[in-house]
Amino acid sequence: KYKDESRYNPVTISQYGLKQYSNYIETGDNQYYDKAKIQADYLINVQDKETGKFYYDYDFKVSGTNQTLKAPWSSAMAQGQVISLLVRIYSVSGDKKYIEASKLAMKPLTISVQDGGLKADFFGYDYYEEYPTIPESYTLNGFMFTLIGLYDLYNVTGDTQAQELYNKGIETLEYCLPFYDSTGISLYHLAHLTDRNLPLHYSESYHTIHIIQLKTLDQIEDNSTFKYYINRWEGYVKENS
């Protein structure tokens, strides 16, 4: 629900599908796979076949900013989460339509926000924006969810574009993590860098998500920078408990 109205949200739909897929893997019960596949098929049906985007059909005020995204808007996090689901359904079904849709979903990640895409510049590094605001907001959890989706696609198919986008994103993440390190907590986004009138924005629940996401990516990368911030940010949790 958003403002007391029920709205279709591509992230919520894909996360529900991913949960059902996990239930299927854990139990072998096809009813869970069927539920996951329903979500994947719906998302393919509503995907913009020209831009590759999955849209939000409602205006959204971005927390901690002065920005409101006007419908229809899209999100790199949605692109990544949907890719993660589609790749998993493909791994069971073998139906290439899920991979074709996943590859199309990468398209807005190659186009700048100013030109209608979802890629921002972060001091010379490519950043995939959960919220395509102008000026940029650089939301960390959405960025990492996008990277995980790109890895899923590359890992299953060997797609070279997914590999390139993922590798560029990993370079960005390694560079940008210090900017999110605040006093006793990680920042949710960096909108204060592009709008000096804004205060730092953070969330205890998203701090925990950041740690889990970094652990996931470190399992892939075995990256010393990721390990440093995992340990540092877990220390903040202990200090605040």
Side-chain angles (χ1 to χ4, degrees):
K1 281 192 172 182
Y2 181 69
K3 292 186 176 179
D4 296 324
E5 289 187 281
S6 293
R7 299 286 193 170
Y8 286 103
N9 181 314
V11 164
T12 303
I13 294 167
S14 57
Q15 288 185 351
Y16 175 76
L18 288 164
K19 176 60 178 175
Q20 298 308 311
Y21 180 85
S22 294
N23 290 339
Y24 165 69
I25 293 299
E26 290 175 6
T27 67
D29 190 334
N30 283 327
Q31 69 165 320
Y32 295 119
Y33 171 75
D34 292 341
K35 290 178 181 179
K37 185 174 180 296
I38 287 170
Q39 316 314 309
D41 289 340
Y42 169 81
L43 290 162
I44 286 180
N45 287 337
V46 300
Q47 184 180 28
D48 187 313
K49 299 305 185 289
E50 182 178 347
T51 66
K53 293 177 179 178
F54 304 94
Y55 290 115
Y56 295 77
D57 66 351
Y58 53 91
D59 295 351
F60 184 76
K61 170 71 168 66
V62 180
S63 180
T65 78
N66 296 317
Q67 303 293 320
T68 296
L69 295 169
K70 298 295 185 179
W73 60 279
S74 58
S75 166
M77 177 174 170
Q79 303 300 119
Q81 294 268 264
V82 175
I83 289 172
S84 288
L85 175 60
L86 297 182
V87 166
R88 282 161 174 76
I89 300 302
Y90 165 76
S91 70
V92 176
S93 69
D95 191 333
K96 291 187 177 180
K97 73 177 183 181
Y98 299 105
I99 295 304
E100 292 168 1
S102 296
K103 291 180 178 180
L104 180 60
M106 291 190 290
K107 184 176 179 179
L109 304 179
T110 68
I111 301 169
S112 70
V113 172
Q114 288 81 359
D115 292 330
L118 295 168
K119 181 179 70 171
D121 177 80
F122 188 85
F123 300 104
Y125 291 83
D126 290 347
Y127 197 106
Y128 312 126
E129 285 276 44
E130 177 177 352
Y131 303 117
T133 55
I134 298 175
E136 301 85 354
S137 45
Y138 306 121
T139 303
L140 183 57
N141 85 91
F143 179 57
M144 288 196 280
F145 274 126
T146 310
L147 296 184
I148 292 168
L150 290 168
Y151 173 78
D152 288 341
L153 179 55
Y154 163 67
N155 186 48
V156 170
T157 68
D159 184 81
T160 55
Q161 184 180 36
Q163 181 183 27
E164 180 181 1
L165 292 173
Y166 170 77
N167 286 341
K168 285 184 176 180
I170 289 296
E171 291 176 3
T172 304
L173 183 60
E174 188 171 12
Y175 175 79
C176 75
L177 281 174
F179 292 84
Y180 293 91
D181 187 40
S182 189
T183 305
I185 199 166
S186 57
L187 298 177
Y188 177 75
H189 59 48
L190 301 178
H192 65 281
L193 293 182
T194 55
D195 184 344
R196 297 291 182 173
N197 295 316
L198 295 173
L200 302 180
H201 189 67
Y202 50 83
S203 161
E204 289 185 9
S205 61
Y206 277 98
H207 179 72
T208 302
I209 291 171
H210 293 161
I211 294 169
I212 295 169
Q213 290 177 307
L214 274 179
K215 286 182 175 180
T216 299
L217 290 167
D218 187 53
Q219 287 178 352
I220 301 166
E221 294 297 315
D222 191 19
N223 183 290
S224 60
T225 300
F226 297 174
K227 287 181 173 60
Y228 174 82
Y229 284 100
I230 290 167
N231 292 331
R232 185 173 177 84
W233 291 353
E234 283 185 328
Y236 293 162
V237 174
K238 293 176 183 177
E239 290 171 5
N240 295 326
S241 61

